[in-house]
Amino acid sequence: MEEHLMKIGEIAAFFNVSVKAVRIYEKKGIIRPARIDKQTGYRYYTADQVQQLNALIELKGLGFSLNEIREIMQGKGMDSRRLAECLLQKKMRWKESISAAENKISELDSIIQRLSGSRDTAEMSEMTEEERAWYLVKMVCVEDTAAQSAISEAIWL
């Protein structure tokens, strides 16, 4: 009894990815079709390969690169301990990204607070380029503006 095969377009549609994406996964050596029709070039996949694509999409959604996914899915030197290490490393990178985003949010809060406390209500479009540049440095730059001012003056002398 022959196993049911799915065309590339069918599995792409099932997972809501493009056919081009599935072909990229093939070129990267992550998933290979069970059969390619020599006359039409159609690619056919088994149920097991559909499961591989499902795992690939989940790992991609977790932020793994295609190279990392290939390494995981090929299983060379991979056991549950090594997989857990890969997942922990990705978790740490996500935590670092969250921390960086929280720092940016804090910086934005500081800028908003400076803007709302500023007495300067001039329209930026009415300012000269130089006035606008200094205004933005004063309001937007979180670092010490006095040091920037001294450097800028030294450069333009």
Side-chain angles (χ1 to χ4, degrees):
M1 187 164 123
E2 188 175 312
E3 185 174 9
H4 177 71
L5 298 176
M6 294 178 67
K7 291 180 183 175
I8 191 171
E10 294 172 322
I11 65 168
F14 182 78
F15 288 106
N16 198 27
V17 297
S18 68
V19 169
K20 183 178 180 180
V22 178
R23 287 189 176 135
I24 289 171
Y25 305 151
E26 179 185 341
K27 284 180 184 175
K28 287 280 196 177
I30 301 171
I31 184 171
R32 299 213 190 278
R35 187 169 72 86
I36 300 176
D37 186 309
K38 291 179 183 175
Q39 291 180 339
T40 62
Y42 287 174
R43 290 161 165 74
Y44 295 93
Y45 297 86
T46 65
D48 288 341
Q49 290 170 310
V50 171
Q51 291 305 316
Q52 288 177 329
L53 183 59
N54 189 21
L56 181 154
I57 291 168
E58 288 296 322
L59 289 168
K60 195 168 179 292
L62 291 171
F64 285 91
S65 70
L66 293 180
N67 290 333
E68 292 169 324
I69 293 169
R70 182 181 57 236
E71 183 181 322
I72 291 168
M73 292 183 69
Q74 285 179 347
K76 295 177 184 169
M78 188 67 62
D79 57 15
S80 59
R81 185 181 57 77
R82 175 71 180 115
L83 178 58
E85 287 174 11
C86 288
L87 294 170
L88 283 171
Q89 287 174 357
K90 186 58 66 179
K91 178 182 171 182
M92 292 307 298
R93 281 187 243 150
W94 278 115
K95 284 186 172 191
E96 290 169 1
S97 295
I98 290 169
S99 178
E102 287 172 342
N103 288 338
K104 295 293 181 191
I105 290 169
S106 178
E107 289 176 18
L108 288 167
D109 286 340
S110 295
I111 294 167
I112 292 166
Q113 188 175 14
R114 276 197 305 279
L115 284 170
S116 64
S118 172
R119 294 183 196 173
D120 196 354
T121 59
E123 279 291 322
M124 289 178 61
S125 62
E126 296 173 5
M127 295 178 182
T128 66
E129 282 187 42
E130 185 178 341
E131 289 170 334
R132 194 169 34 253
W134 281 108
Y135 177 76
L136 289 171
V137 166
K138 184 173 90 178
M139 291 299 163
V140 176
C141 295
V142 177
E143 292 84 24
D144 181 18
T145 57
Q148 291 177 354
S149 177
I151 291 170
S152 182
E153 286 180 21
I155 290 172
W156 295 105
L157 288 179

